Amino acid sequence: MESGPAIFAGAAFTLFGGALLLWTAVRSLHREPVVYGGAPRTAAALTALSGAAVLTLGLWCFGRV
């Protein structure tokens, strides 16, 4: 019964983290700003770090199932 919420949370976190990493990579490769009005390298690094953390959290949720 408790695995349902863990599967949902894992799927949501994994999809969001993967999409955030993909979006950051595409924006960086096209030399487009990741965040408007911010330092480009800092914004790309923080966004990639956040995406990796959320992706890791999603995989952790799947590991708890």
Side-chain angles (χ1 to χ4, degrees), residues 6-34:
I7 292 171
F8 177 75
F13 284 134
T14 304
L15 287 174
F16 179 73
L20 187 60
L21 285 174
L22 179 67
W23 180 80
T24 303
V26 168
R27 297 287 288 188
S28 296
L29 287 175
H30 289 159
R31 304 259 186 224
E32 296 177 3
V34 175

